[in-house]
């Protein structure tokens, strides 16, 4: 159904229907509700190109993906975030554009997108501890939101993030309360802000318990299954191996479990494991009883929230910074238990 057909059904002009669907204040609330109800009933979706011409916007949101192979955002978790964001984009009549840029030319990529009017806003993902892209976008005065935060950024900006430090502090305390003293951390790349915050939470919990952090039990790299397997295999060969392991993703935790199995040990009895669970649609943490004890926060839901926040910023470019800190849930599964007695 097109705009003309919907207008004829409602007995209203095309201009009135268009303005009602786009939230113009001069349209009465009663008319707006009636038009939206009819649009939903008859499956009408505004043409984003026509809407863009009417509003002076492109009706497109941009995602610039760095081409570097060593980057935490280019992983399966990215797909669920984008799926959540895309759902909200569609509800507001926005399309999505992906573009690739070399790490050394990201500023140029952003400038190109905005100077040619290709996008109305940008989602910035995978922020580093010192994230230069934030200052670039602020200087360009373009709407953007960061999925995550950057500790080194000294300018206000819009962001949505999970409380990574609190999550890993709580997870480490949980293991300490179970009697574990040799607790390992298999983390993401620690130039990434989320990974540094998780390490900070882990170290804070050890310090509060009077435990000394052992550098041999802290590993950092891309969060892959192979990385989780390799590092766990190596640490289990130590003279004093860990009795518990914190993994920064479900993907690396699967590698951790494989290494434990290959060593002839039982996860949850001989070695406890806690993972961070992004509640991925294709990688569920078991059914009724979770496989892994996990700090859980849905990345798809974060994508939906980020999209809403960015669209609000596009509508109100001069409003105050909008931030949202999500708390992860600690879900107890079959992968944790009391520390084994090694005497």
């Amino acid at each position: 159904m097109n705009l003309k057909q919907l207008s004829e059904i409602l007995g209203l002009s095309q201009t009135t229907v268009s303005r009602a669907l786009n939230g113009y204040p001069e349209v009465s609330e009663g008319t707006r509700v009636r038009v939206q109800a009819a649009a939903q009933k008859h499956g009408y979706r505004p043409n984003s190109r026509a809407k863009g011409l009417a509003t002076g916007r492109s009706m497109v949101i941009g995602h610039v993906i760095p081409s570097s192979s060593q980057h935490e955002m280019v992983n399966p978790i990215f797909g669920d975030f984008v799926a959540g964001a895309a759902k909200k984009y569609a509800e507001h009549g926005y399309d999505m554009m992906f573009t690739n840029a070399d790490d050394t030319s990201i500023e140029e990529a952003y400038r190109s997108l905005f100077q040619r009017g290709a996008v109305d806003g940008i989602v910035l993902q995978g922020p580093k501890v010192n994230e230069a892209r934030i200052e670039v976008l602020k200087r360009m005065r373009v709407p953007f939101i960061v999925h995550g935060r950057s500790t080194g950024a000294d300018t206000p900006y819009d962001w949505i993030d999970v409380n990574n430090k609190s999550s890993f502090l709580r997870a480490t305390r949980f293991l300490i309360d179970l009697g574990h003293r040799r607790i390992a951390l298999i983390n993401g790349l620690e130039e990434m802000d989320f990974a540094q915050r998780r390490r900070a939470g882990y170290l804070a919990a050890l310090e509060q318990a009077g435990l000394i952090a052992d550098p041999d039990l802290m590993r950092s790299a891309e969060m892959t299954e192979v990385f989780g397997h390799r590092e766990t295999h190596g640490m289990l060969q130590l003279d004093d191996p860990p009795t518990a392991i914190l993994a920064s993703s479900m993907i690396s935790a699967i590698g951790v479990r494989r290494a434990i199995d290959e060593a002839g040990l039982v996860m949850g009895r001989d070695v406890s494991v806690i993972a961070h669970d992004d509640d991925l649609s294709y990688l569920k943490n078991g059914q009724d009883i979770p496989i892994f004890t996990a700090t859980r926060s849905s990345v798809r839901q974060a994508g939906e929230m980020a999209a809403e926040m960015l669209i609000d910023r596009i509508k109100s470019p001069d409003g105050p910074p909008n931030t949202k800190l999500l708390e992860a849930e600690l879900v107890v599964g079959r992968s944790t238990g009391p520390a084994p007695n090694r005497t």
Side-chain angles (χ1 to χ4, degrees):
M1 173 170 288
N2 58 35
L3 181 63
K4 181 180 178 182
Q5 291 169 325
L6 182 63
S7 301
E8 290 172 351
I9 290 171
L10 288 162
L12 298 170
S13 70
Q14 292 183 46
T15 300
T16 298
V17 172
S18 177
R19 288 178 175 273
L21 291 171
N22 288 304
Y24 281 80
E26 61 266 29
V27 179
S28 70
E29 180 67 13
T31 299
R32 185 183 64 79
V33 171
R34 185 162 74 93
V35 170
Q36 288 182 339
Q40 184 173 7
K41 177 182 177 181
H42 296 286
Y44 172 76
R45 290 280 302 278
N47 181 286
S48 59
R49 186 178 295 276
K51 185 176 180 181
L53 290 172
T55 61
R57 295 174 180 157
S58 67
M59 302 308 297
V60 176
I61 302 296
H63 293 251
V64 179
I65 303 173
S67 59
S68 169
S69 61
Q70 292 289 313
H71 203 290
E72 288 290 358
M73 65 161 284
V74 186
N75 60 34
I77 296 166
F78 178 68
D80 257 37
F81 178 89
V82 168
K87 176 176 179 288
K88 290 299 177 183
Y89 295 157
E91 289 177 6
H92 291 274
Y94 278 86
D95 292 321
M96 181 168 34
M97 174 190 290
F98 296 99
T99 187
N100 183 266
D102 186 86
D103 282 348
T104 60
S105 64
I106 290 176
E107 180 171 355
E108 182 180 335
Y110 287 142
R111 289 193 180 282
S112 174
L113 283 172
F114 282 98
Q115 286 176 352
R116 58 190 167 91
V119 299
D120 295 326
I122 286 284
V123 177
L124 191 159
Q125 290 173 262
K128 298 180 179 181
V129 174
N130 294 298
E131 183 51 70
R133 291 175 293 169
I134 292 173
E135 182 57 38
V136 168
L137 291 170
K138 288 289 286 188
R139 190 166 63 247
M140 291 169 60
R141 296 182 62 81
V142 297
F144 73 97
I145 187 166
V146 180
H147 179 211
R149 285 175 286 172
S150 175
T151 302
D154 57 4
T155 183
Y157 57 93
D158 293 352
W159 56 261
I160 181 168
D161 195 14
V162 65
N163 194 337
N164 288 294
K165 181 176 180 179
S166 173
S167 298
F168 271 55
L169 186 148
R170 185 181 179 192
T172 308
R173 280 179 177 170
F174 181 82
L175 293 169
I176 292 170
D177 289 343
L178 287 171
H180 294 278
R181 296 298 179 265
R182 294 285 289 168
I183 302 170
L185 173 66
I186 294 182
N187 204 5
L189 289 168
E190 290 183 354
E191 66 177 2
M192 309 303 289
D193 197 84
F194 80 88
Q196 186 168 107
R197 291 178 189 272
R198 290 177 185 178
R199 178 188 176 101
Y202 160 81
L203 292 174
L206 294 180
E207 183 179 2
Q208 291 169 11
L211 300 176
I212 298 174
D214 184 347
D216 287 341
L217 298 184
M218 292 180 280
R219 311 296 171 90
S220 168
E222 285 278 1
M223 299 187 299
T224 64
E225 191 274 348
V226 172
F227 165 60
H229 173 267
R230 182 184 68 240
E231 299 305 325
T232 301
H233 175 78
M235 287 190 288
L236 291 177
Q237 309 304 311
L238 295 172
D239 291 337
D240 191 7
T243 63
I245 299 172
L246 278 171
S248 258
S249 83
M250 288 286 291
I251 298 166
S252 53
I254 292 170
V256 171
R257 180 173 64 175
R258 180 161 68 94
I260 292 170
D261 290 344
E262 289 175 356
L265 303 173
V266 177
M267 184 173 72
R269 186 194 70 188
D270 301 310
V271 183
S272 289
V273 179
I274 296 181
H276 180 73
D277 179 14
D278 288 287
D279 197 19
L280 301 177
S281 57
Y282 61 90
L283 187 63
K284 291 296 183 183
N285 185 14
Q287 296 297 320
D288 296 334
I289 302 176
I291 297 169
F292 291 99
T293 295
T295 56
R296 177 183 294 168
S297 180
S298 169
V299 72
R300 181 178 291 251
Q301 184 181 44
E304 292 185 20
M305 292 180 179
E308 290 277 9
M309 292 167 69
L310 178 55
I311 291 168
D312 287 344
R313 171 59 61 205
I314 292 168
K315 292 177 180 177
S316 304
D318 298 320
N322 189 9
T323 64
K324 190 177 294 292
L325 185 62
L326 307 174
E327 293 295 339
E329 174 188 13
L330 182 64
V331 179
V332 179
R334 299 193 297 267
S335 67
T336 50
N341 187 347
R342 290 180 171 172
T343 58

